Amino acid sequence: MTVIIIEDEKPAARRLERMLNKIDIEVSTMLHSVEESLNWFQKNKHPDLIFLDIQLSDGLSFEIFEVIDVKSAIIFTTAYDEYALQAFKLNSIDYLLKPIDDIDLKKAVDKFNSRNSSQNQLMAVDFNDIKNLLINPVERPYKKRFAVKVGQHIKLINIEEIECFYSENKGTYAFTNDGRSHLLDCTLEELETELSPSIFFRTNRKFFVNVNAIKDMVSYTNSRIQVKLTSYNFEDIIVARERVKDFKDWLE
């Protein structure tokens, strides 16, 4: 099986390569831009599988497919929020939300290996539909409040009161500005579709933070960022290195 990675952030590309090596998959090529990818596809045999970042340094990676009829299976790697990725679920092998997790990577590769479809069937992806969805996302309502259980009572918490969401011991919690944590009946992954991306950002696999609750930001080891909130101080909230660029863009 021949595998290539198309990713503009070289540290992220090298990290993904190491993760693939751990499951005995060798990456033959790493490409970092639309232009570089176009040149490579014009001169080389197309691989069996591509790990494809959506946003490259010189444009959306879909521009590659507007020029080249790529005959490869694709696993998308992206920091886009969950609702925009529903199109990928319908059309592609799989997608991996950054920062990429070892277990999710293994599942995506296993799904690819388990399929016996032809290459043409594997490439049944409507890139124009996906591109339009990402550039012009459909307006939709986001969660405005949560109903949580407090003792024998049900309490409504407005979204503005929530500083962060976090996972702990297989539970998902909302931490409010009065210093309390409330157990929710959902996962962080399910929250991806419920939270406004202009207000909440997923810093890593454990936390969503509210931009209005950020008190301070500090440089952290390995080019990461530590986020300090107004009230929450039980655990360091670190922006994963693969998400730092998107985090800075989100802040603006």
Side-chain angles (χ1 to χ4, degrees):
M1 179 171 67
T2 55
V3 176
I4 71 169
I5 295 172
I6 303 178
E7 162 68 66
D8 65 329
E9 296 183 12
K10 293 183 180 180
R14 290 193 293 268
R15 178 177 180 270
L16 178 55
E17 181 183 29
R18 290 193 298 270
M19 294 172 71
L20 288 166
N21 289 340
K22 288 181 181 179
I23 54 176
D24 298 321
I25 294 177
E26 183 177 350
V27 176
S28 59
T29 302
M30 289 195 287
L31 306 169
H32 306 293
S33 67
V34 172
E35 183 179 2
E36 184 182 9
S37 300
L38 287 173
N39 291 333
W40 188 89
F41 278 110
Q42 289 168 346
K43 299 174 184 177
N44 295 273
K45 182 181 177 181
H46 294 189
D48 298 307
L49 179 61
I50 302 170
F51 286 88
L52 177 69
D53 188 17
I54 294 173
Q55 182 67 59
L56 301 175
S57 57
D58 56 348
L60 290 174
S61 57
F62 300 121
E63 295 173 24
I64 300 167
F65 307 106
E66 293 172 359
V67 179
I68 305 293
D69 184 18
V70 176
K71 299 296 184 182
S72 306
I74 295 173
I75 295 176
F76 293 97
T77 63
T78 179
Y80 278 95
D81 77 4
E82 178 85 8
Y83 87 95
L85 298 174
Q86 296 304 314
F88 302 150
K89 287 183 177 180
L90 298 175
N91 292 297
S92 67
I93 295 298
D94 209 342
Y95 71 89
L96 296 168
L97 192 64
K98 296 180 180 178
I100 295 171
D101 176 81
D102 289 292
I103 296 174
D104 292 340
L105 176 61
K106 181 67 164 55
K107 287 180 180 178
V109 171
D110 287 345
K111 185 188 291 187
F112 165 76
N113 287 330
S114 68
R115 292 197 176 186
N116 296 317
S117 305
S118 70
Q119 284 186 327
N120 285 337
Q121 288 174 312
L122 288 171
M123 271 299 294
V125 181
D126 192 329
F127 291 106
N128 284 330
D129 281 355
I130 299 173
K131 181 178 179 181
N132 289 336
L133 180 60
L134 295 174
I135 295 175
N136 303 300
V138 178
E139 290 294 329
R140 64 181 182 82
Y142 294 105
K143 199 86 169 178
K144 294 181 179 179
R145 65 187 66 85
F146 287 84
V148 299
K149 189 174 181 180
V150 180
Q152 298 300 314
H153 301 272
I154 302 296
K155 178 183 179 181
L156 288 178
I157 301 176
N158 293 324
I159 198 73
E160 296 83 5
E161 301 175 57
I162 300 173
E163 289 195 1
C164 66
F165 296 90
Y166 66 93
S167 61
E168 186 174 272
N169 297 326
K170 298 183 179 181
T172 301
Y173 297 84
F175 184 87
T176 51
N177 50 24
D178 60 358
R180 296 182 179 182
S181 291
H182 303 275
L183 180 64
L184 303 178
D185 187 22
C186 64
T187 66
L188 285 186
E189 285 66 34
E190 290 168 342
L191 283 176
E192 294 272 7
T193 62
E194 302 290 340
L195 302 177
S196 170
S198 64
I199 299 175
F200 287 92
F201 185 88
R202 190 167 187 175
T203 58
N204 53 46
R205 300 198 71 82
K206 188 169 182 178
F207 283 95
F208 277 101
V209 297
N210 184 335
V211 66
N212 300 306
I214 295 176
K215 179 176 65 175
D216 194 12
M217 292 170 283
V218 183
S219 295
Y220 203 73
T221 56
N222 295 324
S223 302
R224 295 176 294 171
I225 296 174
Q226 180 181 359
V227 177
K228 297 185 178 182
L229 303 181
T230 304
S231 300
Y232 182 90
N233 59 4
F234 298 100
E235 183 178 344
D236 289 345
I237 302 176
I238 308 299
V239 181
R241 186 168 61 178
E242 296 81 6
R243 303 231 62 194
V244 167
K245 181 177 181 295
D246 297 301
F247 178 71
K248 290 179 178 178
D249 292 340
W250 173 73
L251 289 172
E252 297 175 356

